[in-house]
Amino acid sequence: MAAFSKAYLAGLLAVLTGAAVLAGCGTDSTSSGGGGGAQTIQIWEGYTAAEAKAFSHLVSEYEAQHPGQKVSPLFVNNDNTLQKVLTAVRGGSPPDIAYLYGSWAPNVAQIPQVANLTQVVQRPGVNWNDFWTGERAVATVNGKVIGIPAVVDNLAVVYNKTLFAKAGLQPPGPDWTWQEFVADAKKLTNPAIKQFGTAYVTPGTEDTVWHWEALLWEAGGQLLTPDNKKAAFDSAAGLASLNTLRTMAVTDKSMYLDPSDSAYSNLFNSGKIGMLVTGPWDLSAFPNVKYGVQVMPAYPGTSGGHQTISGPDNWVIFNNSPARVAAAEQFLLWLTAPAQVKYWAVQTGNLPSRQSVGDSPAVSQQMNAALPGVGAFIANLANVKQARPQIPQYPRISTALGQAIVSALQGQASPQDALDQAAEQANGFLAIPG
């Protein structure tokens, strides 16, 4: 999973000041792309288990194909990487490449040592447009490409086929609506056995927020005005989308509220929750459930249609010297080429970061056989039509929205009052230059 949704704010809010101190225009990396002779590429990544094994294989393959080039990986917990990078930059010893959450991109872009990859991704053979729309949006800050996509995901609905059948419900179809979702959740709820129709994570973090943001877009709304100067979520679309969740949480009591951000998984696997809005990272946690995957419902009559949200992360290059930048570019362009993307996806179960690989029926079938339902998440990447605002103030706006959503779902504030208060806070943050 793109872990921005789990430990996102804790790490990011701690480094905002540090990033501001390092603010600058960045380095324009326009080298020709040659390896620059024998080089050792230092790379910080957070892979474990199957991902670590697959990455090690790719590193060995790259070194075999590029004599004289060495790749030296160092495991760093992804939650801590930005803080460690800032410390390393201050000390004059950043890695050549680091895996950084895409949600950090606006702050990463302010680090002077970050290489500008805008011209790099336009080189012949890179095929930048082959990366999904959401990935390219998250890797680009103010028109400057500051990273190469490292991972992509999205949200869809995972539902318990057995519980749907017991409730006399038809499985959700690709054209279903949020009205149908709410009605199904109510029918799937059985207080006597503590069974809920659905669940929602309520720690008040970005994980709380990004689930709602997809509904906001589907209702035809936006988080901010087009110039990113004022809040726009305090709208009819914002109210409709938050009321959808409020109905299930407060009125119907069909929604399990999970402040732990983790209990929902065990409850779904135990047959106590009928359906979840979640991502492909959770599928392996449901061995006891005969489940299906469907796109998120839509709001009929709005401009939003069926959408989802993605949390891409980035590989970021730091300018240690022209030769080392060139070597890092060469490695990343190889690592994210279609052949390696296919190997990575099949071996790890991560969604293909390139559309050409994701559109391959053979790849989808192979991955779906290993992890049922992942093929639907691959197809759902086509519904990633926009990304959250790439501005430094977003984490603070997210905090305000997280508190607003939780207060509405817990019945502590009306959806309108919650949105009004969050909008007032957001406008205050936006009035201060990032």
Side-chain angles (χ1 to χ4, degrees), residues 178-179 181-183 185-186 198 239-255 408-409 415:
W178 277 107
Q179 184 178 5
F181 184 102
V182 171
K186 188 173 183 179
T198 189
L239 185 60
S241 55
L242 190 52
N243 268 328
T244 297
L245 303 178
R246 164 82 168 216
T247 295
M248 292 183 283
V250 178
T251 304
D252 295 346
K253 300 190 184 304
S254 60
M255 175 181 282
L409 298 190

Side-chain angles (χ1 to χ4, degrees), residues 137-393:
V138 169
T140 306
V141 180
N142 294 327
K144 181 176 72 174
V145 178
I146 56 91
I148 304 292
V151 73
V152 67
D153 54 30
N154 63 82
L155 292 174
V157 178
V158 181
Y159 62 94
N160 186 317
K161 292 182 177 181
T162 302
L163 293 185
F164 263 73
K166 286 183 178 179
L169 296 171
Q170 292 295 317
D175 295 323
W176 67 327
T177 68
W178 277 107
Q179 184 178 5
E180 292 172 327
F181 184 102
V182 171
D184 287 353
K186 188 173 183 179
K187 291 180 180 178
L188 288 163
T189 299
N190 186 343
I193 58 174
K194 296 182 179 180
Q195 177 179 305
F196 292 85
T198 189
Y200 199 91
V201 289
T202 55
T205 63
E206 174 64 9
D207 207 14
T208 296
V209 177
W210 81 308
H211 282 78
W212 170 73
E213 287 171 343
L215 275 73
L216 172 69
W217 292 338
E218 289 186 309
Q222 291 292 329
L223 279 168
L224 305 178
T225 55
D227 59 4
N228 289 335
K229 294 296 180 62
K230 288 191 174 183
F233 55 78
D234 187 21
S235 63
L239 185 60
S241 55
L242 190 52
N243 268 328
T244 297
L245 303 178
R246 164 82 168 216
T247 295
M248 292 183 283
V250 178
T251 304
D252 295 346
K253 300 190 184 304
S254 60
M255 175 181 282
Y256 173 76
L257 301 181
D258 182 9
S260 73
D261 206 5
S262 60
Y264 71 87
S265 179
N266 289 332
L267 289 172
F268 185 83
N269 191 50
S270 301
K272 294 298 184 181
I273 294 176
M275 51 186 173
L276 292 170
V277 175
T278 190
W281 57 84
D282 269 338
L283 294 181
S284 61
F286 306 143
N288 300 332
V289 180
K290 184 179 179 181
Y291 61 79
V293 180
Q294 190 52 269
V295 299
M296 292 181 67
Y299 289 98
T302 69
S303 60
H306 293 279
Q307 292 195 48
T308 187
I309 187 170
S310 183
D313 294 336
N314 294 318
W315 291 114
V316 177
I317 295 176
F318 295 87
N319 186 13
N320 289 309
S321 73
R324 289 175 65 175
V325 168
E329 291 170 358
Q330 183 181 36
F331 173 68
L332 282 190
L333 294 182
W334 177 90
L335 182 68
T336 58
Q340 285 67 250
V341 167
K342 176 181 176 181
Y343 175 85
W344 179 258
V346 170
Q347 295 298 318
T348 66
N350 287 330
L351 304 187
S353 59
R354 283 184 175 267
Q355 187 170 346
S356 61
V357 179
D359 288 346
S360 167
V363 172
S364 183
Q365 290 169 9
Q366 187 174 358
M367 293 182 66
N368 212 58
L371 188 61
V374 73
F377 279 102
I378 296 174
N380 197 37
L381 285 168
N383 290 319
V384 180
K385 301 172 182 176
Q386 50 191 313
R388 291 158 297 174
Q390 291 291 81
I391 57 174
Q393 299 96 329

Side-chain angles (χ1 to χ4, degrees), residues 102-114:
S103 47
W104 287 339
N107 304 92
V108 170
Q110 299 180 52
I111 303 174
Q113 288 79 359
V114 167

Side-chain angles (χ1 to χ4, degrees), residues 14-34:
V15 301
L16 284 172
T17 302
V21 169
L22 293 167
C25 60
T27 301
D28 184 13
S29 174
T30 57
S31 57
S32 63

